[in-house]
Amino acid sequence: MLEQRGRESVSSITQGVKQLPQLLTLLQKQTPPPEQPALGFFTDTSLCIGCKACEIACKQWNQLPATEPDWSGTSYDNTQKLGATTWRHVQFIEQIGRRVPAGPELPMLQQHSVPLPELPVYQPMDRADAIPETPPGTALPFFNSDRWLMHSDVCKHCANAPCQEACPTGAIIHTEYDTVYVQQDICNGCGYCVVACPFGVIARDTQGDGQAHKCTLCYDRLKDGMKPACAKACPTDSIQFGEVKTLKAQAQERLGHLQQRGVSEAQLYGADDKILEGGLHSFFLLLDQPEVYNLPANPARPSNHVLPTSLGTIIAALLMGLMSIFFFKQE
């Protein structure tokens, strides 16, 4: 018995010695990969046709489960929002009656009306000039009173990411491509990042591992020099991928082109450094105000609230101390 126990202890010590180099490698700091140019998305909503090819490609490549179909009653969209298993989401925003009817006695249908060219709805066909010439720049959907706004939403990969600021374990990092990435082996599922994100992007997988998940900008594809799956699958080039500097120049050019054609409501969202004090690496060209697309006009960083909250706590503590001293003196 003693010999057998001695052999077992020797064998366990031998196995421990063999595993010691592997354990030591975990403590060694690896050389980080060399920095690359910042990569991101430019999503042009004026080209989106709502085909949802980006959604399907994202789910197929990242092996995400399909969302249970649910009729929302508000649009043809059954996904409804971004989530832990939906990293691309195409919004369907229906706008009806944007035009102000002629005549002072008729009410305004919408506060933000769009001036439209006067095109006759019907003319008799017995004249040669019955069909009017269409003025330039009157193609759908820009100059129609009723329209669908399509918007392929995704993680914004913020330069100063609120989710990263709120993460207590350091699970959320910026990669060498300056994209925001969640390390699943470090995430503890606390959910602080969920409430910190002003765009409602990141979410916990309550039906699965309980950890936070979001778009990785196809980090595994980037390592092999490939486009993200959603940009590869987009049939209209509404989702453009590349270096952020190049995409911003393209976005400005596209905006000027649309405004020259009379689309005065077109605007860029997140292409400058104003939003979150650094801008977004996944930015958009919108055909209406950001709030219409469920995008906050002025999102806040959690770090901006640290100083005011700390000062408020200190002042409250001082007041409580002074009140306690006052009451003790009275007693």
Side-chain angles (χ1 to χ4, degrees):
M1 292 294 292
L2 293 175
E3 292 181 359
Q4 186 177 358
R5 290 180 181 178
R7 291 174 183 174
E8 290 178 354
S9 61
V10 170
S11 62
S12 62
I13 294 173
T14 305
Q15 291 179 359
V17 171
K18 290 181 180 179
Q19 294 177 356
L20 185 60
Q22 297 179 0
L23 296 175
L24 291 176
T25 56
L26 297 177
L27 301 177
Q28 295 177 357
K29 292 185 177 180
Q30 297 182 358
T31 304
E35 290 188 6
Q36 304 290 335
L39 300 179
F41 289 124
F42 165 46
T43 304
D44 187 348
T45 63
S46 67
L47 298 177
C48 182
I49 59 175
C51 67
K52 287 184 175 284
C54 53
E55 278 194 30
I56 302 302
C58 177
K59 283 185 175 290
Q60 286 182 340
W61 179 261
N62 294 289
Q63 299 181 4
L64 301 173
T67 305
E68 189 71 22
D70 183 20
W71 177 249
S72 63
T74 56
S75 74
Y76 294 104
D77 176 23
N78 61 359
T79 310
Q80 301 182 30
K81 62 180 180 179
L82 294 170
T85 58
T86 302
W87 298 352
R88 266 281 180 184
H89 169 231
V90 179
Q91 291 179 322
F92 286 70
I93 304 169
E94 186 176 9
Q95 291 186 332
I96 299 177
R98 297 184 304 127
R99 185 176 182 179
V100 181
E105 69 282 355
L106 295 178
M108 181 180 296
L109 292 181
Q110 188 172 354
Q111 184 177 4
H112 301 288
S113 60
V114 178
L116 305 174
E118 293 295 335
L119 297 178
V121 178
Y122 169 78
Q123 284 188 353
M125 300 300 294
D126 55 352
R127 302 200 320 267
D129 59 344
I131 302 178
E133 294 183 1
T134 303
T138 57
L140 293 175
F142 308 124
F143 294 94
N144 190 24
S145 59
D146 304 334
R147 68 178 180 178
W148 285 98
L149 296 178
M150 309 297 182
H151 172 223
S152 181
D153 198 9
V154 71
C155 174
K156 313 307 181 288
H157 293 278
C158 315
N160 295 311
C163 59
Q164 184 183 17
E165 292 181 358
C167 181
T169 64
I172 303 178
I173 62 171
H174 274 82
T175 68
E176 65 268 31
Y177 305 102
D178 210 7
T179 60
V180 182
Y181 184 85
V182 182
Q183 302 175 96
Q184 299 302 323
D185 57 336
I186 302 179
C187 176
N188 64 358
C190 65
Y192 290 163
C193 56
V194 178
V195 296
C197 177
F199 306 105
V201 168
I202 195 167
R204 292 175 61 246
D205 186 6
T206 56
Q207 303 298 324
D209 56 13
Q211 295 177 336
H213 298 270
K214 70 169 195 66
C215 164
T216 65
L217 215 144
C218 286
Y219 180 70
D220 51 347
R221 293 174 66 94
L222 298 185
K223 297 288 284 186
D224 291 332
M226 302 168 63
K227 274 186 177 182
C230 56
K232 183 72 174 178
C234 182
T236 63
D237 288 335
S238 171
I239 303 173
Q240 300 181 31
F241 165 77
E243 294 187 19
V244 173
K245 290 183 179 180
T246 305
L247 291 178
K248 287 184 177 180
Q250 294 177 1
Q252 292 291 344
E253 183 179 357
R254 174 64 176 169
L255 177 65
H257 180 71
L258 288 178
Q259 290 181 344
Q260 285 180 358
R261 290 179 172 264
V263 190
S264 57
E265 67 270 27
Q267 59 181 293
L268 294 177
Y269 181 84
D272 53 20
D273 295 338
K274 295 180 180 179
I275 291 183
L276 296 175
E277 303 173 11
L280 311 177
H281 290 167
S282 177
F283 50 93
F284 305 88
L285 188 149
L286 307 178
L287 297 179
D288 211 320
Q289 297 301 315
E291 293 82 0
V292 175
Y293 297 87
N294 198 26
L295 295 171
N298 187 23
R301 294 175 57 187
S303 58
N304 294 341
H305 301 287
V306 172
L307 183 59
T309 305
S310 301
L311 290 176
T313 304
I314 294 172
I315 293 173
L318 291 174
L319 290 176
M320 292 294 293
L322 292 175
M323 290 175 62
S324 61
I325 293 173
F326 176 76
F327 285 119
F328 275 124
K329 282 185 176 181
Q330 283 187 341
E331 292 179 358

